[in-house]
């Protein structure tokens, strides 16, 4: 029988998705898919920045073979070095079968307390980008203390360093209180999951998109028409429905929206929305829930922003893309040192170079004053960025003009797809983005433009922004063309 090996990430996943733990150990590895590493990269960069700001002399455990990492960690602890980055531990616990438990700690910090190594011992420090503790964080540090206590024969305290200030020092330093029973309960639950012969049922949540089993689970949910294929279904409602024997979308069609209100988490509005979504999935077609509101029937301006992703300027726009109805796409990019003639994109579009985001907001405000219709955007992101970054004169003009097209779409229509992001809705209508592009690749291309004057990179960044604007135009026109004519089959 193959060894059963788990890590701290196994325990973190336990609190989000038991199915992932089962698939990681028993699923077909050929069915895994690549997942974006953007969030992981941000976390690593944050850890490096905080480390540079907070630690003096440290020693890193090189990532070689697992056995070498274990041996190096023990040697460094025996030498009594001040700090150890990436200390590695392993322990076997006997449950229904032996379970090998592994962990790799962000930092070990030496403190004055006798241990099996000498007049010193070590305590673990976990560095997190987020600012509020989660239960997964607590369970992870429980594990590290359990592993560390075994090797040094001292149960240490643990510490969380959360978030960062402008100097990359942690905003919150929190001492962790070890809960052995919490840890043992989690290990026993993992042991029980690995003993099961079939995978736990599928429940899809937003965090699933960062899992290498997401595509498999989504396909399986769609093929089996399971409840998991319904967008917006809370875990509370999903669990209650399963308890009542409702496991498929088709079963919901035999219920009225009023019937659905008895399930936990479903009020009148949510029940009606869920019933409409079940109809869309069942008939594999769009369904209209309510007529389009009057403001959304007017032509206007499509607006999309790209914002900075570095620590110092996070959330400040670097690219403004917009298009007035019937007009040409326009784009403005922040480059305060650019002094040459305005660059042109391959399609002939001129890129307006601006000195800062205030200038970009004023360009949008000027366009809005010429066009009396709404300034459409997708989601509440743009309004938040407007209020937090724009000059007051632009806010005065734009704040009451911005119209969240995503919110209008969700109230008026339902597509037989999961979610209502623009990257989900527009492709259902046949729209495609430039291949292998995202907000992260656009940001990287923007950096290449600023540092290397790479015109191809600038063109790629603007092409991604343009696609967002054109996707909104397509969706708006579709809503106008289909308002009032989407009748369901009898």
């Amino acid at each position: 029988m193959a060894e059963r090996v788990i890590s701290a990430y196994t325990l973190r996943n336990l609190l989000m998705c038991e199915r992932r733990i089962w698939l990681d150990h028993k699923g077909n590895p050929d069915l895994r898919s690549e997942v974006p590493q953007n969030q992981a990269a941000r976390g690593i960069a944050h850890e490096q920045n905080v480390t540079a700001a907070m630690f003096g002399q440290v020693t890193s455990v090189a990532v070689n073979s697992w056995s070498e990492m274990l041996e190096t960690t023990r040697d460094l602890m025996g030498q009594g070095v001040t700090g150890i980055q990436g200390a590695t531990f392993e322990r076997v616990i006997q449950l229904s079968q032996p379970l090998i438990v592994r962990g790799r700690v962000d930092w070990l910090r030496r403190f004055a307390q006798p241990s099996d190594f000498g007049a010193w011992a070590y305590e673990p420090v976990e560095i997190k980008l987020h600012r509020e503790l989660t239960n997964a964080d607590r369970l992870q540090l429980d594990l590290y203390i359990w592993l560390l206590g075994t090797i040094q024969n001292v149960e240490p305290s643990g510490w969380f360093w959360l978030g960062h200030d402008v100097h990359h020092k942690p905003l919150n330093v929190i001492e962790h209180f070890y809960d052995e029973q919490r840890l043992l309960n989690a290990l026993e639950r993992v042991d029980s999951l690995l003993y099961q012969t079939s995978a736990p049922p599928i429940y899809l949540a937003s965090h699933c998109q960062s899992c290498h089993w997401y595509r498999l689970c989504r396909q399986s949910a769609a093929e089996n028409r399971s409840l998991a294929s319904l967008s917006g279904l809370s875990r509370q409602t999903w669990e209650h429905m399963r308890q009542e024997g409702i496991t498929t979308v088709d079963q919901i069609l035999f219920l009225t929206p009023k019937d659905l209100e008895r399930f936990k988490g479903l009020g009148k509005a949510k029940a009606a929305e869920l019933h409409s979504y079940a109809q869309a999935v069942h008939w594999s077609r769009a369904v209209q829930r309510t007529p389009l509101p009057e403001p959304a029937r007017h032509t206007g301006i499509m607006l999309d922003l790209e914002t900075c992703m570095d620590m110092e300027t996070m959330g400040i726009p670097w690219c403004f893309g917009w298009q007035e109805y019937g007009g040409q796409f326009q784009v403005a990019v922040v480059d305060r040192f650019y002094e040459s003639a305005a660059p042109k994109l391959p399609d002939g579009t001129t890129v307006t170079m601006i000195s800062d985001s205030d200038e970009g907001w004023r360009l949008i405000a000027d366009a809005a004053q010429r066009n009396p219709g709404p300034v459409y955007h997708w989601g509440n992101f743009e309004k938040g960025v407007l209020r937090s970054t724009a000059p007051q004169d632009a806010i005065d003009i734009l704040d009451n003009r911005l119209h969240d097209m995503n919110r209008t779409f969700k109230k008026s229509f339902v597509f037989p797809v999961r979610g209502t992001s623009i990257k989900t809705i527009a492709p259902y209508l046949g729209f495609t983005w430039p291949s292998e592009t995202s907000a992260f690749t656009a940001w990287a291309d923007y950096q290449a433009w600023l540092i290397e004057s790479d015109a191809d990179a600038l063109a790629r960044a603007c092409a991604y922004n343009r696609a967002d604007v054109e996707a909104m135009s397509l969706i708006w026109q579709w809503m106008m063309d289909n308002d009032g004519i989407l009748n369901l089959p009898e």
Side-chain angles (χ1 to χ4, degrees):
M1 178 177 292
E3 289 185 328
R4 303 189 312 161
V5 181
I6 70 167
S7 68
Y9 289 101
T10 307
L11 298 187
R12 294 186 69 89
N13 290 333
L14 180 68
L15 301 184
M16 294 189 294
C17 181
E18 294 184 348
R19 180 180 175 86
R20 175 169 180 169
I21 294 175
W22 192 94
L23 288 172
D24 281 346
H25 287 80
K26 297 190 174 184
N28 182 349
D30 294 337
L31 298 179
R32 296 186 182 195
S33 56
E34 294 294 324
V35 297
Q37 297 298 318
N38 301 319
Q39 187 62 31
R42 288 184 62 204
I44 292 171
H46 168 72
E47 181 183 331
Q48 292 173 340
N49 288 334
V50 172
T51 296
M54 293 296 294
F55 281 100
Q57 181 181 359
V58 295
T59 306
S60 298
V61 176
V63 182
N64 298 314
S65 70
W66 184 256
S67 59
E68 287 183 70
M69 292 161 65
L70 290 172
E71 183 178 355
T72 300
T73 296
R74 184 179 286 272
D75 287 346
L76 292 173
M77 293 176 71
Q79 295 170 29
V81 299
T82 303
I84 306 172
Q85 182 182 30
T88 303
F89 302 100
E90 179 177 294
R91 180 175 173 180
V92 179
I93 183 172
Q94 182 66 46
L95 296 170
S96 66
Q97 299 171 38
L99 188 66
I100 301 172
V101 185
R102 292 175 173 174
R104 192 161 192 257
V105 187
D106 286 347
W107 288 94
L108 287 188
R109 183 170 58 179
R110 189 186 66 190
F111 68 103
Q113 180 173 336
S115 72
D116 284 356
F117 290 107
W120 62 87
Y122 290 89
E123 58 187 5
V125 177
E126 274 297 293
I127 303 172
K128 301 295 184 184
L129 179 59
H130 48 264
R131 301 182 182 184
E132 299 292 334
L133 274 181
T134 68
N135 289 331
D137 295 334
R138 296 183 178 94
L139 190 55
Q140 182 177 3
L141 207 42
D142 282 343
L143 174 64
Y144 293 158
I145 291 174
W146 180 72
L147 291 170
L148 185 56
T150 301
I151 192 173
Q152 66 183 9
N153 201 25
V154 168
E155 182 182 295
S157 294
W159 297 88
F160 289 108
W161 291 0
L162 306 180
H164 68 87
D165 60 19
V166 295
H167 304 294
H168 296 296
K169 294 186 177 181
L171 281 177
N172 295 322
V173 175
I174 301 175
E175 184 174 5
H176 175 67
F177 296 98
Y178 174 58
D179 187 333
E180 184 176 40
Q181 192 58 53
R182 174 172 55 199
L183 174 64
L184 294 178
N185 289 344
L187 293 173
E188 289 171 359
R189 181 57 190 153
V190 170
D191 177 65
S192 176
L193 283 170
L194 299 185
Y195 187 76
Q196 294 179 13
T197 57
S198 59
I202 299 170
Y203 174 76
L204 297 175
S206 59
H207 60 72
C208 293
Q209 296 182 42
S210 62
C211 174
H212 44 237
W213 300 107
Y214 176 58
R215 184 172 62 187
L216 175 68
C217 291
R218 188 176 60 182
Q219 290 174 346
S220 178
E223 290 169 0
N224 295 298
R225 305 178 74 83
S226 78
L227 287 179
S229 62
L230 293 177
S231 182
L233 189 69
S234 71
R235 179 175 286 276
Q236 179 187 45
T237 305
W238 174 77
E239 289 176 346
H240 190 191
M241 285 186 167
R242 289 185 59 83
Q243 291 169 5
E244 296 288 324
I246 298 175
T247 60
T248 68
V249 173
D250 297 331
Q251 288 174 281
I252 291 180
L253 296 181
F254 291 99
L255 303 173
T256 66
K258 185 65 177 177
D259 294 332
L260 291 173
E261 291 181 37
R262 70 183 179 88
F263 291 101
K264 294 178 181 178
L266 292 184
K268 182 177 180 180
K270 193 66 177 178
E273 178 184 338
L274 185 63
H275 195 268
S276 296
Y277 192 80
Q279 290 177 311
V281 172
H282 178 79
W283 294 109
S284 298
R285 52 162 292 181
V287 170
Q288 183 161 16
R289 300 183 60 226
T290 62
L292 274 177
E294 178 59 27
R297 298 173 184 272
H298 297 282
T299 59
I301 299 170
M302 302 298 167
L303 170 67
D304 185 70
L305 307 175
E306 307 301 333
T307 56
C308 298
M309 296 184 181
D310 61 354
M311 295 299 181
E312 289 75 17
T313 59
M314 182 76 70
I316 298 176
W318 61 266
C319 179
F320 296 78
W322 72 99
Q323 184 175 19
E324 299 181 47
Y325 184 77
Q328 298 298 312
F329 170 72
Q330 300 181 69
V331 62
V333 172
V334 175
D335 185 346
R336 62 193 182 97
F337 298 114
Y338 190 79
E339 297 179 347
S340 303
K344 289 186 179 294
L345 301 179
D347 64 358
T349 299
T350 299
V351 180
T352 301
M353 287 297 172
I354 53 179
S355 59
D356 56 28
S357 63
D358 285 3
E359 189 176 347
W361 280 120
R362 290 187 173 113
L363 287 174
I364 304 303
D366 289 344
Q369 289 182 308
R370 293 192 303 269
N371 190 316
V375 179
Y376 293 106
H377 56 98
W378 196 268
N380 57 14
F381 176 73
E382 274 74 13
K383 178 160 280 193
V385 176
L386 170 76
R387 292 175 175 176
S388 62
T389 68
Q392 190 59 50
D393 56 301
I395 294 175
D396 293 341
I397 294 170
L398 294 171
D399 196 42
N400 292 327
R401 296 281 300 281
L402 292 186
H403 182 105
D404 183 354
M405 193 192 300
N406 177 249
R407 184 177 181 184
T408 294
F409 175 86
K410 288 192 290 188
K411 286 185 176 180
S412 300
F413 296 96
V414 177
F415 282 1
V417 293
R418 182 173 179 81
T420 61
S421 76
I422 197 168
K423 299 299 193 301
T424 299
I425 299 303
Y428 178 78
L429 299 176
F431 187 84
T432 58
W433 270 259
S435 61
E436 299 182 356
T437 61
S438 67
F440 293 95
T441 63
W443 170 249
D445 281 332
Y446 172 57
Q447 296 303 302
W449 163 257
L450 294 180
I451 296 170
E452 304 167 15
S453 299
D454 187 334
D456 291 336
L458 177 66
R460 288 193 301 269
C462 292
Y464 173 76
N465 177 265
R466 177 174 188 158
D468 284 349
V469 171
E470 292 178 341
M472 280 192 288
S473 295
L474 174 68
I475 296 169
W476 180 84
Q477 191 62 58
W478 182 93
M479 290 194 296
M480 292 295 294
D481 293 342
N482 289 275
D483 185 31
I485 66 172
L486 292 174
N487 297 317
L488 283 173
E490 295 294 334

